[in-house]
DNA sequence: GATCAATCATTGAAACTTCAAGTACGATGG
DNA sequence: CCATCGTACTTGAAGTTTCAATGATTGATC
């Protein structure tokens, strides 16, 4: 049997939902891109990289870690970091213990870019999404997304309610820039005793 | 005022939801792209164009209509149709009544491509999305998406069932010709009721 | 210790999208 | 009539992402 002729097509409701999602997804990401590009001349993907770096311990992550956190391919990450480095927002250095690895670190200039861009970005997210949802809807949304993510990202920590770091006094967020992060420009960083990874950013 | 210092940051729950959405959105669209590219060598955007055309009356839409339906920029549509036309899946002809407009029509070859690609695509959507949601979740999802779409797409019919041309006020009787630079193969399928358009190009 | 597979990362070409003009046609108003 | 503006569409260049190929290092095996 070469062809499966018994495709289970979407019923009307499913089709309606699917099309709404496709439309929503495109429109929202375009809105985000537009806002960031207009205000900061930055694509969303690049903002995301800077934001994730800004939250990382020592503002540094391995290229692979970075790719995993923003869910990009290694190639894409490499091209992107080339660009960000050319802008002076990120620097590369070699990992002291694994010489295959490269550590990308956010520079002060890069941090400044994130801090400048964050309010506008968050404002847009709030305006287009959270200001329009009731608390119940938000909760449902989260529930649905968690459910679906499991199927898409086998090895992704949804980190349900597990604190990211056992001793994390304040909500660390790229979206909420914090200025008392210790300046750890040296890529040779501490905190690598345990084999477990230190962060579980779900985005 | 130069700086808004009163940004309303996202709380933990909102941030969690937002990151889950970003992750989900990227992973799902990548999965779709991958499946279509692997099986049909077709980007999702291009599949979407073909699918929308296949449903349109006379398998034809104006470039502007097409752009509106798939929510793409005119430029993008133009480039995309160039490519699709080069593949022989779409042809352009001049609009008989508004000579600014160009009508894009799906060829038989293009229709074949859609019909071949649809089952795999729908299968993926079902596998990654609908098979994982309870009916209640699906309904909530739809509700949330509808809510959010309103804010994103003011002039967009959520189009539950709203065809672009409900009763086709003016059947393009003579799509053809303009002798200029146009070749008018034969998009002149008047066709009001294709055999059975019931196939769902879920997208 | 040499080998082989797997991991980490980069590169260039090709593909797709966006941006900034630019052309052509239609509608409006003097 | 014709000047002007708005709409419909296209194009080329620049930017981003993907794909395929490659180099370098580590870890496991014999």
């Amino acid at each position: 049997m070469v062809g499966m002729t018994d495709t289970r097509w979407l019923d009307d409701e499913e089709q309606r939902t699917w099309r709404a999602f496709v439309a929503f997804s495109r429109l929202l990401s375009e809105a985000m891109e537009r806002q960031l590009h207009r205000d900061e001349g930055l694509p969303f993907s690049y903002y995301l990289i800077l934001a994730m770096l800004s939250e990382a311990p020592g503002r540094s992550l391995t290229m692979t870690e970075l790719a995993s956190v923003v869910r990009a391919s290694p190639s894409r990450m490499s091209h992107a970091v080339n660009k960000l480095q050319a802008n002076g927002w990120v620097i590369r250095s070699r990992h002291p213990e694994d010489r295959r690895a490269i550590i990308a670190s956010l520079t002060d200039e890069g941090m400044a870019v994130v801090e400048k861009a964050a309010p506008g970005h968050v404002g847009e997210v709030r305006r287009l999404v959270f200001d329009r949802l009731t608390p119940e809807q938000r909760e449902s949304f989260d529930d649905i997304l968690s459910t679906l993510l499991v199927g898409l990202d086998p090895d992704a920590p949804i980190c349900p309610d597990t604190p990211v770091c056992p001793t994390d006094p304040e909500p660390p967020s790229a979206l909420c820039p914090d200025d008392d992060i210790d300046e750890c420009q040296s890529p040779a960083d501490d905190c690598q005793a345990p084999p477990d990874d230190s962060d579980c950013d779900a985005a």
Side-chain angles (χ1 to χ4, degrees), chain A:
Chain A
M1 305 309 253
V2 177
M4 296 274 296
T5 54
D6 57 346
T7 302
R8 291 165 53 219
W9 300 102
L10 301 184
D11 64 34
D12 288 352
E13 306 247 298
E14 289 170 331
Q15 187 161 133
R16 193 174 108 90
T17 301
W18 174 242
R19 294 194 179 196
F21 173 76
V22 171
F24 172 66
S25 187
R26 301 200 144 204
L27 289 168
L28 183 58
S29 83
E30 262 168 41
M32 291 302 159
E33 298 279 1
R34 204 160 34 237
Q35 181 270 322
L36 276 169
H37 187 273
R38 169 169 40 79
D39 295 352
E40 316 292 339
L42 205 59
F44 182 51
S45 314
Y46 289 16
Y47 171 77
L48 212 50
I49 294 171
L50 298 179
M52 291 302 112
L53 275 180
S54 77
E55 292 183 359
R59 290 187 197 164
S60 298
L61 287 175
T62 288
M63 293 298 282
T64 299
E65 291 169 335
L66 203 43
S68 160
V69 170
V70 307
R71 284 167 245 248
S73 68
S75 172
R76 181 155 145 191
M77 198 43 72
S78 199
H79 285 295
V81 169
N82 281 344
K83 180 84 179 196
L84 294 174
Q85 189 169 30
N87 287 351
W89 299 337
V90 167
I91 57 174
R92 277 188 246 236
S93 53
R94 196 160 282 289
H95 192 292
E97 297 174 4
D98 183 343
R99 297 158 67 113
R100 294 169 299 182
I102 295 283
I103 295 175
S105 306
L106 197 63
T107 63
D108 290 343
E109 292 82 3
M111 192 65 186
V113 170
V114 178
E115 288 175 342
K116 177 168 181 301
H121 173 65
V122 173
E124 198 75 348
V125 173
R126 181 168 287 295
R127 184 172 73 82
L128 294 174
V129 181
F130 293 107
D131 279 352
R132 299 179 182 277
L133 296 180
T134 66
E136 294 74 29
Q137 283 178 313
R138 208 225 88 251
E139 201 165 349
S140 291
F141 198 23
D142 193 88
D143 172 58
I144 291 164
L145 291 171
S146 300
T147 300
L148 294 176
L149 264 177
V150 173
L152 279 167
D153 202 357
D155 48 28
I158 304 295
C159 36
D161 293 303
T162 318
V164 173
C165 301
T167 60
D168 201 0
E170 54 193 307
S173 67
L175 307 179
C176 185
D178 197 314
D179 38 7
D180 56 345
I181 295 174
D182 63 358
E183 297 281 312
C184 181
Q185 292 289 356
S186 92
D189 216 359
D190 49 12
C191 70
Q192 285 303 343
D196 64 350
D197 70 26
S198 51
D199 65 324
C200 81
D201 309 84

